[in-house]
Amino acid sequence: MAEHPETIVVLDFGSQYNQLIARRVREAHVYCELIPWDAPAERVLALEPAGFILSGGPASVYAPGAPTLPAYVLASGKPVLGICYGMQALTHALGGRVAPAAAREYGHAELYIDAPDSPLFAGISSPTRVWMSHGDRIERPPAGFRVLAHTANAPIAAMGDDERRLYGLQFHPEVHHTAEGKAIFHNFLFRICGLHGLWRPENFIAESIAQIRQRVGQERAICAVSGGVDSTVAATLVSRAIGDQLTCIFVDHGLHRQGEVEENMEAFRRHIQAPTILVDARERFLRALAGVTDPEEKRRVIGREFIRVFEEEARKLGRVRYLVQGTIYPDVIESSGAGSGATARIKSHHNVGALPSDMDFELIEPLRMLFKDEVRQVGEALGLPASLVHRQPCPGPALAVRIIGEVTEEKLAILRAADAIVTSEIEAANLGPDKPWQYFAVLTSVRSVGVMGDGRTYQYLVAVRAVSSVDGMTADWSRLPYDLLARISSRIVNEVPGVNRVVYDISSKPPATIEWE
């Protein structure tokens, strides 16, 4: 039986935009999961999907080993929307013809609707601006399909079989460059699939509490809390479900930002009903990180040490079966990739790809299928204060992944001081709606020559990072005012020993990530 009464399955064929497809569906209050195209049919059909969306991808349908459309998709009789490669895979499976385009088409295009009566294009302007990114195109649609729209370079930019509810788009409706992309998704979900938009924070909370109670029974659980919104919401949710069977553990690993330990413990006391234990593990983590410079190894070390601390603390409490974590969907996607070989692993998150295989606990991750903004919505529905729900994100490994190279006490002291200046200046600037989603300092491994007073210096370079984002899957660098950047730079160089140069990171995600490591 499916957990959610309305579920859309997005099959991942390797597109760089596939997470955005999931976002657009969730924004319409419809639950969806992003699943590898070659996942077992049993796994997919167990979700009882109301429809399928086929993502784009970099391959050609004629390339050796190219992803193919699973047989269960068409056999299900459910509506299908193929996007770019997904449209080509649908065409290929149904006997149409896919061929290389005369030239790869990338960028804006004007879409002209040829079938305004199609439910997929109800209420859509003609022409309307769309975003193209493809090398192959449809030369002949499958039997039963009609051409729904065209562009100057794509005679079949959209096709559909209204009777079987099968549709294909050569362009990408999920990206913001497609002007009416959300409306096209809305048409597919509600006009074609007949859904009602039942995916709401309140429904999620009720479902999660019931599932957690059923799973945990009379067993005990501990929850790893960091002070971030993810772990705080997870702790609150599980606390509502099992009450005093839960104990929260906050590990002071010595890698936190300035004043963060004290602030977090006060927040836990005020807002989380379960008791919270503070564990001083600063020396332990620094010893484990000594000599470690590779970012993936840092994450593995930190993930391992977290689990060992939790195991030791759990033994003091008696028999503890479950460990609760604030893992969210972007962590899962970046750590393991959504598809088998289709979507690449970006980095291991300490709570996903870096956990030791021999740990004593079974995991409970109630937020595992949520994006960051959805976690915030759940936090608000749980009644958590805005100061917690909208706190800027910070990775679990904290400053360890904002120090390039080995982590030492000296570097931590430098970075804490620099980061505190960045935070205080941006928060004092009262930027309103232009305030960045996340902002911090990075201590690089670069040293450069400088002049202070009458003497030569050879000191560290600090990078300042500030980005705007909704869910962390994509991000753009924030256009901070020049005078604000000047104050930040001046204060860091003058107030933080060991730093003589400051730069501002103007990279977006992608191609960069938000964190440097």
Side-chain angles (χ1 to χ4, degrees):
M1 184 69 179
E3 288 183 21
H4 306 284
E6 297 184 336
T7 298
I8 292 291
V9 165
V10 180
L11 288 183
D12 173 20
F13 288 108
S15 169
Q16 61 179 316
Y17 304 131
N18 53 25
Q19 295 92 349
L20 290 178
I21 299 173
R23 290 293 307 118
R24 297 295 172 255
V25 176
R26 295 278 188 92
E27 286 169 356
H29 301 294
V30 173
Y31 181 76
C32 77
E33 290 194 24
L34 180 63
I35 294 180
W37 67 273
D38 57 353
E42 299 77 20
R43 172 185 169 189
V44 179
L45 296 178
L47 296 170
E48 298 181 9
F52 295 90
I53 298 178
L54 316 177
S55 87
S60 165
V61 292
Y62 297 116
T68 57
L69 182 67
Y72 63 77
V73 173
L74 295 175
S76 72
K78 300 296 184 181
V80 178
L81 176 63
I83 297 173
C84 199
Y85 182 87
M87 176 190 190
Q88 296 158 18
L90 181 64
T91 300
H92 190 55
L94 289 171
R97 176 170 171 74
V98 181
R104 178 177 173 84
E105 190 174 13
Y106 183 84
H108 288 292
E110 294 295 311
L111 182 79
Y112 295 87
I113 297 172
D114 301 308
D117 62 319
S118 169
L120 190 62
F121 288 108
I124 305 299
S125 308
S126 182
T128 185
R129 176 168 282 198
V130 299
W131 184 260
M132 290 286 193
S133 178
H134 66 96
D136 291 349
R137 70 181 188 182
I138 309 303
E139 281 202 348
R140 186 185 71 246
F145 281 75
R146 60 175 175 155
V147 177
L148 303 181
H150 72 276
T151 68
N153 294 317
I156 308 174
M159 66 180 193
D161 180 333
D162 294 325
E163 184 175 341
R164 289 186 289 176
R165 298 183 296 172
L166 305 177
Y167 298 89
L169 302 175
Q170 188 63 77
F171 58 91
H172 288 273
E174 67 272 26
V175 301
H176 76 270
H177 308 291
T178 295
E180 298 178 87
K182 288 186 179 181
I184 293 171
F185 277 114
H186 190 279
N187 285 340
F188 177 71
L189 297 171
F190 301 114
R191 292 178 180 268
I192 295 169
C193 295
L195 304 182
H196 299 88
L198 304 176
W199 175 244
R200 308 271 173 178
E202 294 77 10
N203 303 87
F204 171 81
I205 291 169
E207 290 174 8
S208 297
I209 288 175
Q211 290 165 8
I212 293 165
R213 281 178 180 159
Q214 181 178 19
R215 181 179 177 192
V216 174
Q218 300 303 310
E219 301 282 354
R220 291 186 58 82
I222 58 173
C223 180
V225 290
S226 66
V229 63
D230 304 331
S231 63
T232 302
V233 170
T236 304
L237 196 57
V238 177
S239 177
R240 299 270 176 97
I242 63 174
D244 59 8
Q245 294 167 248
L246 177 70
T247 300
C248 295
I249 297 177
F250 177 42
V251 178
D252 180 3
H253 46 30
L255 309 171
H256 291 291
R257 295 170 291 188
Q258 194 172 92
E260 199 166 23
V261 173
E262 297 77 16
E263 291 173 9
N264 285 344
M265 287 303 295
E266 178 61 19
F268 299 148
R269 186 186 67 78
R270 286 176 175 269
H271 304 294
I272 298 180
Q273 297 172 0
T276 302
I277 298 171
L278 173 62
V279 180
D280 185 350
R282 290 174 291 182
E283 291 185 7
R284 175 188 193 134
F285 276 80
L286 279 175
R287 281 198 309 270
L289 288 167
V292 178
T293 58
D294 178 72
E296 279 288 289
E297 182 61 20
K298 282 184 192 177
R299 293 174 184 271
R300 283 191 289 270
V301 167
I302 290 168
R304 180 193 69 217
E305 292 304 313
F306 264 128
I307 293 299
R308 298 308 172 223
V309 170
F310 295 145
E311 288 171 342
E312 292 170 10
E313 293 302 315
R315 284 193 285 271
K316 298 175 186 177
L317 296 170
R319 186 176 184 277
V320 176
R321 182 173 178 179
Y322 296 103
L323 170 63
V324 180
Q325 294 193 136
T327 308
I328 63 174
Y329 206 24
D331 300 341
V332 176
I333 293 171
E334 288 191 338
S335 293
S336 57
S340 58
T343 301
R345 183 176 74 180
I346 306 301
K347 59 188 176 185
S348 295
H349 287 258
H350 74 286
N351 58 339
V352 183
L355 295 177
S357 59
D358 61 344
M359 67 178 182
D360 292 343
F361 306 109
E362 295 178 36
L363 290 178
I364 293 178
E365 297 172 310
L367 312 179
R368 188 177 178 87
M369 300 310 296
L370 299 189
F371 289 93
K372 177 71 77 173
D373 57 318
E374 294 172 325
V375 175
R376 296 191 196 282
Q377 293 168 19
V378 170
E380 290 173 345
L382 286 167
L384 292 172
S387 58
L388 280 176
V389 172
H390 296 285
R391 187 179 188 186
Q392 68 156 321
C394 183
L399 301 186
V401 291
R402 293 176 179 174
I403 292 174
I404 309 302
E406 184 181 12
V407 178
T408 66
E409 285 276 22
E410 177 198 13
K411 291 180 179 178
L412 284 166
I414 293 172
L415 183 53
R416 272 197 194 95
D419 186 75
I421 290 170
V422 172
T423 299
S424 64
E425 287 293 340
I426 289 179
E427 292 181 351
N430 296 318
L431 298 174
D434 294 326
K435 184 179 180 181
W437 184 71
Q438 195 170 358
Y439 41 94
F440 53 89
V442 175
L443 182 61
T444 75
S445 58
V446 174
R447 294 182 188 233
S448 65
V449 173
V451 178
M452 288 188 179
D454 295 324
R456 174 187 184 273
T457 62
Y458 187 62
Q459 297 178 330
Y460 284 111
L461 166 73
V462 163
V464 175
R465 181 78 157 138
V467 298
S468 58
S469 182
V470 172
D471 52 29
M473 293 307 305
T474 60
D476 193 16
W477 62 277
S478 296
R479 275 63 169 174
L480 296 181
Y482 290 160
D483 58 345
L484 173 57
L485 289 172
R487 285 197 304 275
I488 290 172
S489 176
S490 177
R491 284 194 61 193
I492 290 175
V493 169
N494 284 285
E495 298 176 28
V496 181
V499 178
N500 66 359
R501 193 181 297 267
V502 176
V503 298
Y504 187 51
D505 183 348
I506 59 169
S507 307
S508 297
K509 175 186 180 180
T513 56
I514 294 176
E515 301 292 340
W516 277 41
E517 286 206 343

